[in-house]
Amino acid sequence: MSQTPLHALHAAGQSIWLDYIDRTMLGNGELARRIADDALTGMTSNPTIFEKALATGTAYDAQLKAAPASMDAWGRFELVETEDVRNACDAFEATYRASKGLDGYVSIEVSPGSAHDAAATIEEAHRLWKAVARPNVMIKVPGTPDGCVALRRLIADGLNVNVTLLFAVAAHDRVIEAYLAGLEDRAAAGGDLSHVASVASFFVSRVDNAIDARLEALAKAGTITAERLAALRGRAAVANARRAYRLFRERFSGPRWAALAAKGAQLQRPLWASTSTKNPAYRDVLYVEQLIGPDTVNTMPPATLEAYRDHGITARTVDTGLAEADALFEELATLGIALDAVTDQLLAEGLASFQKSFDTLIAGIEQKTAALAG
């Protein structure tokens, strides 16, 4: 097997996960090939991904048709998604075992409708955990305040958790605190910490989308020059993520973490999500190349993974340029662009987008079920 830039990325300490799942790739050997040839060590899913998978082709028709007539569309969706995730977990089982539980995870998401309801999130997370019944499944919960409450309880209960839709460093801090507290709760109850894993999914490219739009509006209004626009555009997302990595290193050090690590606790690694490049003016692997470093994960959609395999350049970048990152946000603030306001808006939009995808997905299942019955 020839070595590619993906192998160099893995050797640099970054786990490569695929931000995609569908039944076809699980059955035709594509996933097995990617694990063997692309240093792939995990997979993430969300309602948008399943919406696209279910809307195209006939791979799910037989299972939907065979479902009990009394089962509603939500139940049918959980039926097909848990089968896909279970099969993907089995494909990554060897990775999970070889890495001693560091990698080999497949994520499945709770309904976005429970984002502001900790009790509902906890209940649904346990149901999905039992339905998949694999040690290398990760339950995705949103990084809202209620999501943090759920995270602490789920970690204490011994579930693996992927905390998603993180945009703000302050939100990341709350997530880390909830994870540490959950580990402490579990340890106090005599639970094993060594088999509990978590990642904090920090969304990247959407930050540039939002801040670039504000900068372009300022340039159009004549508030800033074209030269200043060019100097500031396309920098905020990487700077924000690098500050999150700095926080990660700070929080997972010192006596508190040492005590948990001594009991077998794992780091809650930052996972870079939303890493496809939305602006064609930017390099297509920008959000991979600029966030490389140890103890990180990058979940890439297939096109980004293919691009990095072809021409990605690997160098440690995730903890560079931090003084420049801080200065950038100070400058943006002087222009009236408040990072907190941007990240609050992005979280709200992200939750709304996932809810829309979920609603569309459920409606699509209802239509397909009716058509198959007909």
Side-chain angles (χ1 to χ4, degrees):
M1 180 183 64
S2 60
Q3 297 292 296
T4 72
L6 291 170
H7 295 91
L9 183 61
H10 184 265
Q14 185 162 92
S15 295
I16 303 163
W17 291 7
L18 183 68
D19 194 26
Y20 186 74
I21 189 171
D22 72 16
R23 188 155 296 182
T24 300
M25 74 179 303
L26 294 173
N28 66 7
E30 180 186 349
L31 179 57
R33 178 191 63 76
R34 288 187 181 276
I35 293 171
D37 297 346
D38 292 342
L40 191 69
T41 59
M43 177 177 274
T44 51
S45 68
N46 60 47
T48 303
I49 290 172
F50 272 109
E51 177 199 350
K52 293 175 181 176
L54 282 159
T56 59
T58 59
Y60 297 91
D61 288 4
Q63 188 177 14
L64 289 172
K65 190 171 183 178
S70 59
M71 184 176 285
D72 62 12
W74 183 306
R76 290 170 190 265
F77 167 57
E78 285 199 0
L79 189 71
V80 299
E81 74 159 344
T82 53
E83 177 164 329
D84 276 5
V85 170
R86 190 180 304 115
N87 290 335
C89 284
D90 290 344
F92 282 106
E93 181 183 7
T95 303
Y96 174 75
R97 301 297 177 192
S99 67
K100 298 181 179 179
L102 176 68
D103 262 317
Y105 293 98
V106 182
S107 295
I108 185 171
E109 187 154 3
V110 299
S111 165
S114 61
H116 302 295
D117 187 334
T121 297
I122 292 166
E123 180 182 358
E124 187 173 352
H126 274 281
R127 186 177 73 250
L128 292 173
W129 177 266
K130 291 177 183 177
V132 176
R134 295 294 187 273
N136 55 327
V137 66
M138 268 193 173
I139 310 301
K140 289 178 78 174
V141 303
T144 59
D146 283 287
C148 287
V149 174
L151 168 64
R152 178 173 180 171
R153 171 66 181 275
L154 294 172
I155 293 299
D157 290 345
L159 277 65
N160 306 315
V161 182
N162 176 344
V163 187
T164 189
L165 286 175
L166 293 175
F167 298 95
V169 174
H172 188 199
D173 195 32
R174 289 194 297 271
V175 165
I176 293 172
E177 177 58 34
Y179 176 63
L180 295 173
L183 289 173
E184 290 165 341
D185 292 345
R186 183 166 179 78
D192 181 7
L193 303 189
S194 64
H195 297 293
V196 183
S198 182
V199 294
S201 292
F202 208 84
F203 280 51
V204 185
S205 67
R206 298 186 195 185
V207 174
D208 271 347
N209 294 349
I211 289 183
D212 284 358
R214 287 162 172 77
L215 289 169
E216 287 159 9
L218 291 175
K220 186 175 181 180
T223 305
I224 60 173
T225 64
E227 291 76 16
R228 196 174 186 192
L229 170 64
L232 295 174
R233 186 167 49 191
R235 293 176 53 200
V238 167
N240 193 43
R242 286 176 176 174
R243 297 209 299 180
Y245 185 81
R246 176 174 61 190
L247 173 71
F248 157 70
R249 284 301 184 202
E250 290 170 352
R251 293 299 308 268
F252 287 94
S253 63
R256 185 184 186 188
W257 172 244
L260 290 167
K263 296 176 182 177
Q266 292 190 34
L267 296 168
Q268 185 189 53
R269 293 182 294 169
L271 179 151
W272 312 127
S274 184
T275 55
S276 62
T277 303
K278 310 300 189 295
N279 188 333
Y282 301 157
R283 184 167 167 82
D284 58 357
V285 289
L286 167 68
Y287 302 115
V288 184
E289 289 179 338
Q290 294 301 308
L291 294 171
I292 298 172
D295 300 317
T296 58
V297 182
N298 196 311
T299 186
M300 306 180 213
T304 304
L305 188 145
E306 298 288 347
Y308 197 90
R309 185 209 289 128
D310 180 67
H311 53 263
I313 298 172
T314 301
R316 181 164 175 161
T317 52
V318 72
D319 47 9
T320 62
L322 285 165
E324 292 85 348
D326 293 337
L328 171 66
F329 291 114
E330 289 175 7
E331 183 172 0
L332 291 174
T334 66
L335 296 174
I337 300 175
L339 182 60
D340 288 348
V342 171
T343 55
D344 286 349
Q345 179 181 338
L346 287 171
L347 174 58
E349 291 174 351
L351 289 168
S353 176
F354 278 3
Q355 184 64 58
K356 181 179 179 181
S357 292
F358 191 81
D359 292 344
T360 303
L361 183 153
I362 295 301
I365 289 177
E366 290 173 341
Q367 294 170 3
K368 179 164 278 195
T369 299
L372 291 170

